[in-house]
Amino acid sequence: MFLTKEEEKALDGEYGPGLQLAMRILVKLGDLFGAERLLPVRSAHVSGISYKTAGDAAIGFLEDLCEMGARASVLATTNPCGFDERLSGLLELPDHIVSAQKKLLALYEHLGLKMTLTCIPYYQFRPERGSHLAWAESSAVVYANSVMGAFTNREGAPSALAAAIAGRTPDYGLHRPENRQPGLLADFSFRPRDEVELWAAGFYVGQVARDAVPLLRGLKGLSDWELKGLGAAMASGGMTAMFTLEGPTEGLEKVEVGREEAASVLEKLSTAEEPDLVFLGCPHCSREELALLVEHLRGREVKRPFWICTSRHIRASCPELVKAIEASGALVVVDTCVVVSWVEKLGVDVVATNSPKAAYYLPGLSGVRVRLANMRECVELACSKGSG
Ligand code: F3S
């Protein structure tokens, strides 16, 4: 790989061992994928913030980096962690978990990362169209590439952190225009009846597209939050890091996406009925979703635990929506989500959610079963008593 003089010096350790380690990670990655150079990035988004998913190995690695004097050199945002500190009375966690999570957060903060603690950092720090980024968190990656026109690969936690420190990423994959061309035509032959059916169809596309960029034909007039959830579903169904809604279709392999394909995904992911907890906000809710939810909740009273997860930034930017939602008895939770937190410790066996991504990960991560239901149905479930 070609390196500039400055990059050579950084790799040789002239600017300290922290930057040297970050450069080593990036150069190794670049060599692996045949990159010819490193590109400067505008921002990095780092995953592996929740102690639940990162574990003790991450703490050791971060301690080493801090000792080596590493610091983020570009805007670096963070994915959700394992709890919302404001809810410590509700989500009572063993002391060792709380202290490990706090330690992880302190280490990331010491490295200069911003405590955004969300999977939707783009509503707070909007990347410019055409800018190069190094983002982990697959749902944010798809959104950045497909909706915002930024350029990022689907980074892992260590490579996103290394990019945050070095301010660079190897030039391969979706950083190169030739790799952003569609490689599969996903022909939507039906009009999804709600977000759950749309996102389940997206999950199916993710499964069949593998690492190709799918061109989704037949989907018109989707709102921002529907696109956000669609990308998240595709990324959890497979390796999708970008989709497109238009472009030439000649020569593309074609797959039909109909109600049956969506139903087959729903059948696999939705395996339960009565929820102990209702959850919206995977990915974290935008303002638009909170406003919709206020409409659904108007005059209603919540009778089961109902978590609406979003970012600190969104919560702080629309206090009137938050107030209206919480007046019903629902909780607007920040910094975490039901997937990366320890809901099993609340005695939860079944979660209702509108997110196929959450439905895909929750059984493995928390041993809970999931009922997929759209936002309106989730509100109905939250406002009904249940038979148990
Ligand atoms: Fe975000 Fe948690 Fe879903 S991090 S994308 S809400 S699994």
Side-chain angles (χ1 to χ4, degrees):
M1 193 189 311
F2 168 79
L3 296 181
T4 64
K5 282 213 167 60
E6 283 301 293
E7 289 166 350
E8 288 284 4
K9 283 187 190 172
L11 188 61
D12 289 344
E14 281 193 36
Y15 303 123
L19 180 57
Q20 183 181 34
L21 178 57
M23 286 293 289
R24 279 189 181 150
I25 292 172
L26 297 173
V27 168
K28 197 158 215 154
L29 192 67
D31 284 341
L32 199 66
F33 286 97
E36 289 178 2
R37 58 178 183 152
L38 295 174
L39 282 171
V41 291
R42 290 284 178 80
S43 67
H45 178 71
V46 179
S47 62
I49 310 296
S50 168
Y51 177 63
K52 177 166 185 165
T53 54
D56 290 319
I59 293 184
F61 177 60
L62 295 173
E63 280 174 339
D64 289 348
L65 272 176
C66 286
E67 261 170 44
M68 292 175 190
R71 289 282 294 175
S73 65
V74 291
L75 169 69
T77 48
T78 43
N79 228 26
C81 72
F83 57 51
D84 176 346
E85 258 204 295
R86 301 167 315 126
L87 303 180
S88 51
L90 178 79
L91 183 53
E92 286 203 21
L93 297 169
D95 289 348
H96 74 277
I97 288 187
V98 173
S99 59
Q101 179 63 80
K102 286 188 172 168
K103 174 138 211 192
L104 257 183
L105 293 179
L107 288 165
Y108 278 122
E109 208 164 3
H110 186 87
L111 289 170
L113 273 60
K114 289 207 180 304
M115 294 293 106
T116 51
L117 303 177
T118 183
C119 46
I120 52 166
Y122 37 81
Y123 292 128
Q124 187 174 359
F125 301 104
R126 194 181 173 89
E128 270 173 45
R129 183 162 284 277
S131 56
H132 291 270
L133 320 170
W135 284 14
E137 174 46 47
S138 62
S139 68
V141 167
V142 183
Y143 190 89
N145 281 317
S146 319
V147 181
M148 306 188 112
F151 290 51
T152 176
N153 283 322
R154 193 169 155 164
E155 301 292 345
S159 64
L161 186 57
I165 294 164
R168 288 165 169 74
T169 196
D171 182 17
Y172 74 96
L174 291 176
H175 291 287
R176 306 201 58 83
E178 65 271 22
N179 297 328
R180 300 172 66 88
Q181 302 309 313
L184 180 88
L185 174 62
D187 218 356
F188 278 68
S189 57
F190 77 121
R191 182 179 286 270
R193 64 170 78 91
D194 58 21
E195 80 273 21
V196 176
E197 202 174 37
L198 170 70
W199 295 345
F203 191 97
Y204 172 77
V205 173
Q207 286 178 317
V208 295
R210 299 174 192 277
D211 56 358
V213 173
L215 191 161
L216 313 179
R217 185 163 70 179
L219 288 178
K220 295 263 178 307
L222 295 183
S223 62
D224 180 77
W225 73 280
E226 288 170 323
L227 289 171
K228 168 168 73 71
L230 182 62
M234 280 194 276
S236 45
M239 285 309 296
T240 306
M242 176 178 174
F243 65 85
T244 169
L245 295 171
E246 51 198 31
T249 57
E250 296 88 61
L252 291 182
E253 185 198 335
K254 181 168 136 178
V255 285
E256 295 285 341
V257 188
R259 191 148 271 144
E260 259 176 47
E261 282 72 25
S264 72
V265 169
L266 290 174
E267 200 181 316
K268 283 206 188 80
L269 296 182
S270 187
T271 58
E273 287 293 321
E274 270 309 290
D276 311 300
L277 174 71
V278 183
F279 161 47
L280 294 173
C282 175
H284 275 175
C285 283
S286 62
R287 230 169 279 149
E288 189 188 3
E289 281 164 290
L290 296 186
L292 273 175
L293 191 55
V294 167
E295 291 309 312
H296 288 303
L297 277 170
R298 201 174 291 284
R300 310 293 304 271
E301 190 192 333
V302 164
K303 302 210 170 87
R304 314 183 202 229
F306 188 12
W307 288 20
I308 294 101
C309 294
T310 187
S311 66
R312 296 174 178 194
H313 169 74
I314 296 284
R315 188 187 154 102
S317 72
C318 50
E320 64 303 331
L321 296 179
V322 172
K323 199 168 160 206
I325 291 169
E326 293 198 328
S328 72
L331 281 173
V332 179
V333 174
V334 298
D335 296 352
T336 189
C337 77
V338 166
V339 178
V340 299
S341 135
W342 290 268
V343 284
E344 66 277 21
K345 300 217 181 288
L346 292 176
V348 170
D349 288 323
V350 175
V351 171
T353 180
N354 62 353
S355 167
K357 172 172 179 173
Y360 178 69
Y361 284 110
L362 269 170
L365 275 173
S366 300
V368 299
R369 287 176 305 134
V370 175
R371 170 169 177 180
L372 278 167
N374 67 30
M375 185 190 281
R376 188 182 44 73
E377 292 162 345
C378 280
V379 169
E380 290 304 322
L381 286 165
C383 295
S384 63
K385 266 222 163 43
S387 56

